[in-house]
């Protein structure tokens, strides 16, 4: 699975249903707002004691190394390792809100506050020389979104997107903030704009994934499926993308759409172990569709393909036994294993399992017969002897 390096934990938080109005002036441009006003309005002007409660226990990086990261980040603002390290450093200083304020003022061309020389003891990094106002606005919005301050982040990201009309990332991050706020229409418009701006391959994949997931969460399953299909068309023949779509549809409960994708992946896989795992995913979907007979047939076929003593065989037997014990009873499980042993007479693991099934069915004599036969075939296998002793005691 390809994942873009950005803070997805934001997408996992509950959507805050607050609406932001009056973001655009009559001319259609986002108004410039000072950092102090937004900080006061959004409650980001924390005290030093509140900020210190957010400090992380990791060792603090040197100021010099973080400044280098910051200089690189302002040239290419995006979520990722550099962003996280800069945020962590300011959290440790208790100054992340102040950094957001200075970036905002810099972006709104108020150098009197943000452009002053800063001492090396300042808890906020100076704005790098190469930072442009639109990059500063985007970074301020990214920080607000990182802090889950949706109203402020949408205002800032809307400004940044207007100032960076060819940048897919600013549109993407605006879409993410709008989706978290619950404004699906705004999120859809921003996601579509991000896609139209031709992002890089990794970003394109993640934008599609986020877009489809946000639609599913907003109870629009058909629209979500359409985005998954567009994603497949954008990456034809890419197995990783195909599996991502299949896994995502399965998680969303779209079993009928996920099944043919898992089946196609399994049929075309050239790796034996991967093929078995994909077929097991197919089994899970078949069971969700209540096609138990098909699921059991697939499991039985798989059991014949794998190494009897391997972990895949153990997993397959566990699934088969769970199916019989939950739906039919131990006597049917005994019948299954006895029929299996007529075709695989030297499968010691099946002998041990049929003995266990017979004990569940209160047939200890027959269980002992199978264990004696297994011990005779493999006298050095201690687990079989131990099972026989436990039965006879």
């Amino acid at each position: 699975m390809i994942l873009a390096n950005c803070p997805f934990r934001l997408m996992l938080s509950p959507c805050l249903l607050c609406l932001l109005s009056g973001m655009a002036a009559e001319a259609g441009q986002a108004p410039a707002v000072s950092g102090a006003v937004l900080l006061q309005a959004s409650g980001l002007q924390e005290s030093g004691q509140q900020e210190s409660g957010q400090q992380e226990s990791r060792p603090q990086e040197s100021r010099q190394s973080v400044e280098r990261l910051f200089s690189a980040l302002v040239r290419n603002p995006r979520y990722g390792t550099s962003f996280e390290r800069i945020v962590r450093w300011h959290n440790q200083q208790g100054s992340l809100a102040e950094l957001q304020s200075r970036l905002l003022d810099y972006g709104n061309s108020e150098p009197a506050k943000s452009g002053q020389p800063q001492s090396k003891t300042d808890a906020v990094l100076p704005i790098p020389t190469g930072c442009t106002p639109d990059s500063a606005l985007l970074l301020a919005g990214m920080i607000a979104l990182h802090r889950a301050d949706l109203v402020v982040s949408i205002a800032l990201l809307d400004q940044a997107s207007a100032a960076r009309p060819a940048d897919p990332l600013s549109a993407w991050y605006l879409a993410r903030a709008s989706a978290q706020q619950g404004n699906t229409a705004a999120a859809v418009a921003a996601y579509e704009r991000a896609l139209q701006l031709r992002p890089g391959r990794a970003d394109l994949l993640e934008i599609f994934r986020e877009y489809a997931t946000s639609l599913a969460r907003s109870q629009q399953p058909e629209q979500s499926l359409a985005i998954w299909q567009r994603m497949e068309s954008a990456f034809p023949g890419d197995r990783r993308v195909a599996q991502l779509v299949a896994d995502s549809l399965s998680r969303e409960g779209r079993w009928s759409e996920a099944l043919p994708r898992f089946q196609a992946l399994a049929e075309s896989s050239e790796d034996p172990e991967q093929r078995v795992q994909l077929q097991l995913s197919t089994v899970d979907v078949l069971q969700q569709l209540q096609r138990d007979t098909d699921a059991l047939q697939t499991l039985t076929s798989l059991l014949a393909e794998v190494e009897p003593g391997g972990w895949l065989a153990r997993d397959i037997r566990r699934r088969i036994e769970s199916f019989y014990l939950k739906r039919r009873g131990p006597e049917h499980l005994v019948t299954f294993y006895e029929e299996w042993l007529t075709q695989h007479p030297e499968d010691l693991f099946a002998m041990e399992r049929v003995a266990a099934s017979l004990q569940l069915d209160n047939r200890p004599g027959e269980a002992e017969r199978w264990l004696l036969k297994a011990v005779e075939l493999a006298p050095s296998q201690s687990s079989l002897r131990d099972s026989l002793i436990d039965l006879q005691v």
Side-chain angles (χ1 to χ4, degrees):
M1 183 185 300
I2 309 172
L3 294 176
N5 196 5
C6 55
F8 297 123
R9 65 180 181 278
L10 294 173
M11 295 300 295
L12 299 175
S13 61
C15 293
L16 303 179
L17 301 177
C18 52
L19 298 177
L20 177 62
S21 59
M23 284 169 44
E26 292 183 1
Q29 296 180 345
V33 186
S34 71
V37 171
L38 278 178
L39 283 172
Q40 185 176 8
S42 63
L44 288 177
Q45 190 69 54
E46 298 97 343
S47 67
Q49 181 178 3
Q50 288 172 320
E51 287 281 4
S52 64
Q54 298 177 359
Q55 294 179 13
E56 303 181 26
S57 59
R58 301 185 185 185
Q60 184 170 325
E61 288 192 70
S62 70
R63 181 189 179 94
Q64 185 178 16
S65 66
V66 179
E67 283 180 343
R68 287 196 299 268
L69 291 173
F70 198 18
S71 296
L73 185 65
V74 297
R75 292 193 295 270
N76 182 27
R78 64 180 300 124
Y79 287 119
T81 303
S82 295
F83 177 86
E84 291 293 335
R85 287 168 65 180
I86 292 165
V87 166
R88 184 188 312 134
W89 188 88
H90 282 89
N91 272 331
Q92 291 171 337
Q93 304 297 320
S95 59
L96 186 57
E98 180 61 24
L99 174 64
Q100 179 182 322
S101 177
R102 292 191 186 186
L103 284 165
L104 176 55
D105 287 334
Y106 189 98
N108 285 332
S109 301
E110 296 181 14
K113 177 179 179 181
S114 61
Q116 295 176 347
Q118 301 173 42
S119 70
K120 291 297 182 181
T121 59
D122 195 340
V124 182
L125 295 179
I127 307 299
T129 304
C131 184
T132 60
D134 57 283
S135 293
L137 285 172
L138 178 54
L139 282 168
M142 290 165 59
I143 292 172
L145 181 55
H146 175 88
R147 300 169 69 95
D149 190 343
L150 299 181
V151 173
V152 171
S153 68
I154 288 173
L156 297 181
L157 292 170
D158 189 55
Q159 277 187 265
S161 184
R164 300 165 66 92
D167 177 24
L169 294 186
S170 56
W172 175 16
Y173 298 156
L174 175 60
R176 181 183 297 175
S178 299
Q180 289 185 46
Q181 192 191 50
N183 190 342
T184 304
V188 167
Y191 277 126
E192 289 292 344
R193 187 161 67 253
L195 292 172
Q196 291 169 4
L197 293 174
R198 299 183 180 278
R201 180 181 175 86
D203 290 335
L204 177 62
L205 177 64
E206 190 50 40
I207 291 169
F208 271 126
R209 187 204 65 81
E210 223 175 79
Y211 189 4
T213 302
S214 70
L215 287 171
R217 288 174 177 165
S218 62
Q219 306 301 314
Q220 298 187 52
E222 296 309 316
Q223 292 86 339
S224 174
L225 178 60
I227 300 304
W228 289 125
Q229 292 170 336
R230 284 172 61 186
M231 180 177 172
E232 290 174 315
S233 299
F235 298 89
D238 191 319
R239 292 183 56 82
R240 292 173 297 177
V241 172
Q243 183 159 358
L244 171 61
V245 173
D247 288 335
S248 300
L249 289 171
S250 180
R251 282 193 299 270
E252 293 172 9
R254 305 290 301 251
W255 315 117
S256 297
E257 288 81 14
L259 179 60
R261 290 171 168 84
F262 280 124
Q263 290 173 329
L265 283 164
E267 290 172 3
S268 62
S269 177
E270 297 179 356
D271 182 279
E273 184 172 313
Q274 184 186 59
R275 185 174 61 81
V276 171
Q277 290 175 325
L278 287 167
Q279 286 180 304
L280 289 175
S281 296
T282 300
V283 168
D284 292 334
V285 175
L286 286 169
Q287 290 178 323
Q288 292 293 338
L289 292 170
Q290 298 183 347
R291 292 172 55 180
D292 292 338
T293 301
D294 292 335
L296 187 58
Q297 289 176 348
T298 303
L299 287 171
T300 305
S301 298
L302 287 176
L303 189 58
E305 297 179 18
V306 299
E307 178 65 33
W311 71 271
L312 282 172
R314 290 194 298 272
D315 184 38
I316 293 168
R317 283 194 293 267
R318 177 190 61 78
R319 291 166 179 259
I320 291 172
E321 292 177 9
S322 176
F323 170 81
Y324 276 107
L325 293 176
K326 288 180 179 179
R327 292 171 173 80
R328 300 184 182 179
E331 67 278 8
H332 294 281
L333 179 57
V334 169
T335 301
F336 167 81
Y337 274 125
E338 288 179 337
E339 292 177 353
W340 173 266
L341 284 164
T342 60
Q343 301 176 26
H344 306 84
E346 296 185 355
D347 187 342
L348 299 174
F349 299 95
M351 292 180 191
E352 189 173 18
R353 297 314 303 158
V354 73
S357 304
L358 285 162
Q359 292 182 71
L360 287 175
D361 200 30
N362 295 316
R363 294 153 67 181
E366 295 177 63
E368 183 178 3
R369 178 173 60 83
W370 277 111
L371 287 174
L372 285 169
K373 183 176 181 179
V375 169
E376 182 180 350
L377 290 172
S380 62
Q381 191 161 323
S382 59
S383 62
L384 293 173
R385 295 198 309 272
D386 292 342
S387 297
L388 180 59
I389 292 170
D390 291 341
L391 179 63
Q392 290 175 336
V393 170

